[in-house]
Amino acid sequence: MDLEQLFNQNKENTIEGRYITLESIEPLLKKHFIKNDVKIIGESVLGKPIYSYQKGHGKLKIYLWSQMHGNESTTTKALFDFINLLNNGSDLAKQLLETFTFYSIPMLNPDGAELYTRANANSIDLNRDSQNLTQPESKILRATFDEFKPDYCFNLHDQRTIFGVANTGKPATLSFLAPSYNEEREVNESRLKAINLIAGINDVLQKYIPGQIGRFDDSFNINCIGDTFQYLGVPTLLFEAGHFSNDYEREKTRKFVFMSLVSSFIILSENDVVDNRNDKYLNIPQNNVVFFDFMYKNVKINYDGNEIITNFVAQYKEELIDNKLNFNAYIVEVGDLKGYFGHFEYDAKGALYQDNFVNFPKEGQIADFNLDKKVFFLNGKIKK
């Protein structure tokens, strides 16, 4: 199966970029009201509707939710791409709808999505509220879980550009986790099902983004929703959509999330998760914090009256200004930075750093500077 072609055929072109709000997706959801596939299942802190989308009549029940963190929108886009596949009338769509019943919450945290924040409107991280259930969004997620009684859960997130695959110098474009169900991080029958499925997804993705798949840390935290659902005996998969080269809008990454979803359901429908693939799962390298967005090497800097050669790095801060998302690069560290990488790297070869501020790459300063007054950088990038 050509997953690339399948994505191109089903991509939802009305949503793109990183700033995806309820206003972005409501027209798509309302298309399906007439079929009774879409329902309003509750409200956010600020009274915004929280929608569910249900499709299929198969015995195997799949529960998916996205944008639990409002500023993590890549998987929301991929989820709508997948919904398009379910509605395209193809043989694959018919096979999936006969095998599965899909229940998804495309945007659990619409308030956070509009504000472009991780937390909800009460500044609560919903992924730390699975036990206390203090927030309306958390209560909706848990009540739906209890009522729907899924066979598998898909917990869909984004991760920052700082993550790489171990120390390989490759970005973690996608990372997965079969969450632990206890402090000892043991593997029981339920967790093994998630492990086996992730190993299968990894086999597929390695053909498209070799070496760019990571494994998320499995430290147990019962306050996290994935750990809670795994503890309750339902195989749960954490998806973390990460960085692909020059893809800050995460349009390439959404494709790989779509491929992951399709692959997982094909594997399950073909009952191809019966063996023990724990070794293959553990062979997926762990996520590691090894990246900055910009790295400048061998830069000459005046430091306390002395000229030294050093390195410094800058990182994008995603800032919502007038309902438009801006990527603003700020200097974050100066030093040897051994073992770290930049998504963009520049070797200054001893050129002198200068700027319009203090002529020193100061932490928290916008990354506007020049080298020997010959190469000029604006917002981290070379000015053309």
Side-chain angles (χ1 to χ4, degrees):
M1 179 179 295
D2 188 339
L3 290 175
E4 193 118 29
Q5 183 181 26
L6 196 66
F7 169 76
N8 292 333
Q9 291 169 345
N10 293 283
K11 182 182 179 184
E12 179 50 63
N13 291 307
T14 64
I15 51 175
E16 61 182 7
R18 296 286 292 280
Y19 187 48
I20 304 296
T21 65
L22 186 61
E23 187 179 36
S24 308
I25 66 170
E26 269 190 319
L28 301 174
L29 292 165
K30 288 177 177 177
K31 285 195 310 185
H32 299 284
F33 262 120
I34 195 169
K35 303 175 186 175
N36 294 318
D37 295 337
V38 172
K39 294 179 180 177
I40 294 174
I41 55 174
E43 291 184 346
S44 68
V45 171
L46 298 180
K48 294 184 186 298
I50 294 174
Y51 291 91
S52 68
Y53 177 87
Q54 186 168 340
K55 190 82 171 176
H57 48 271
K59 291 183 179 180
L60 206 56
K61 294 193 284 187
I62 307 293
Y63 187 27
L64 314 95
W65 61 94
S66 184
Q67 265 178 289
M68 168 178 269
H69 296 140
N71 59 355
E72 298 179 3
S73 59
T74 307
T75 54
T76 303
K77 296 183 291 187
L79 191 52
F80 278 100
D81 301 333
F82 179 68
I83 287 171
N84 284 347
L85 187 157
L86 292 180
N87 287 277
N88 69 11
S90 66
D91 288 342
L92 175 59
K94 292 173 184 174
Q95 174 191 340
L96 294 176
L97 295 174
E98 288 171 2
T99 306
F100 302 101
T101 299
F102 296 100
Y103 191 107
S104 66
I105 302 176
M107 185 177 286
L108 182 65
N109 182 6
D111 298 340
E114 184 168 346
L115 297 168
Y116 201 73
T117 58
R118 177 182 175 87
N120 74 346
N122 285 333
S123 299
I124 298 296
D125 184 340
L126 299 177
N127 202 27
R128 299 296 183 272
D129 191 41
S130 71
Q131 293 300 300
N132 294 331
L133 298 175
T134 64
Q135 303 303 301
E137 301 92 344
S138 307
K139 293 174 183 176
I140 290 166
L141 185 67
R142 179 57 185 270
T144 302
F145 172 87
D146 291 338
E147 182 180 349
F148 182 58
K149 294 180 172 56
D151 295 295
Y152 283 85
C153 290
F154 285 69
N155 187 10
L156 307 176
H157 289 263
D158 275 54
Q159 66 182 6
R160 295 173 61 197
T161 59
I162 60 177
F163 289 104
V165 177
N167 296 306
T168 63
K170 290 188 175 184
T173 301
L174 274 179
S175 295
F176 297 94
L177 174 67
S180 299
Y181 76 94
N182 64 7
E183 291 282 358
E184 293 73 28
R185 302 187 241 187
E186 294 173 318
V187 177
N188 60 0
E189 182 181 354
S190 173
R191 190 182 183 201
L192 183 60
K193 287 181 178 179
I195 284 170
N196 287 346
L197 188 51
I198 290 171
I201 296 169
N202 180 60
D203 285 345
V204 174
L205 288 182
Q206 291 296 340
K207 301 171 187 174
Y208 296 92
I209 42 174
Q212 291 178 228
I213 311 298
R215 178 167 50 87
F216 216 73
D217 176 68
D218 67 347
S219 298
F220 179 68
N221 184 349
I222 194 63
N223 296 306
C224 295
I225 194 66
D227 300 53
T228 291
F229 287 170
Q230 198 86 276
Y231 169 79
L232 293 171
V234 178
T236 300
L237 289 77
L238 171 69
F239 280 48
E240 293 280 355
H243 186 67
F244 185 86
S245 180
N246 297 315
D247 181 37
Y248 282 92
E249 298 295 337
R250 301 249 165 118
E251 290 299 306
K252 295 262 177 56
T253 300
R254 85 186 273 184
K255 174 175 67 175
F256 301 122
V257 176
F258 171 86
M259 291 177 173
S260 302
L261 291 172
V262 173
S263 300
S264 65
F265 302 133
I266 290 174
I267 291 168
L268 285 174
S269 68
E270 294 175 350
N271 198 27
D272 192 24
V273 288
V274 292
D275 60 329
N276 188 326
R277 300 184 181 178
N278 192 39
D279 287 345
K280 284 190 173 183
Y281 172 75
L282 292 176
N283 282 335
I284 300 172
Q286 280 202 288
N287 265 12
N288 205 355
V289 178
V290 291
F291 268 99
F292 294 93
D293 290 320
F294 301 93
M295 177 174 279
Y296 311 96
K297 299 179 177 180
N298 302 311
V299 182
K300 185 186 293 184
I301 296 172
N302 281 315
Y303 183 72
D304 284 345
N306 298 312
E307 288 189 344
I308 62 169
I309 302 294
T310 189
N311 310 310
F312 71 95
V313 287
Q315 191 73 17
Y316 276 134
K317 186 176 181 181
E318 298 161 23
E319 298 178 313
L320 189 64
I321 302 171
D322 295 329
N323 289 322
K324 188 173 186 293
L325 189 62
N326 295 268
F327 291 85
N328 294 322
Y330 294 92
I331 294 167
V332 292
E333 193 171 340
V334 181
D336 180 74
L337 297 165
K338 186 177 180 181
Y340 287 92
F341 306 93
H343 294 299
F344 168 87
E345 294 189 358
Y346 185 86
D347 188 348
K349 299 179 180 177
L352 179 65
Y353 174 96
Q354 293 175 293
D355 59 36
N356 292 324
F357 309 105
V358 293
N359 284 327
F360 183 85
K362 187 179 178 182
E363 183 179 335
Q365 185 173 287
I366 193 76
D368 295 345
F369 60 94
N370 72 78
L371 297 171
D372 278 349
K373 294 187 177 180
K374 293 179 180 177
V375 183
F376 291 80
F377 293 80
L378 182 65
N379 199 30
K381 296 180 180 179
I382 296 175
K383 186 178 178 181
K384 295 181 179 179

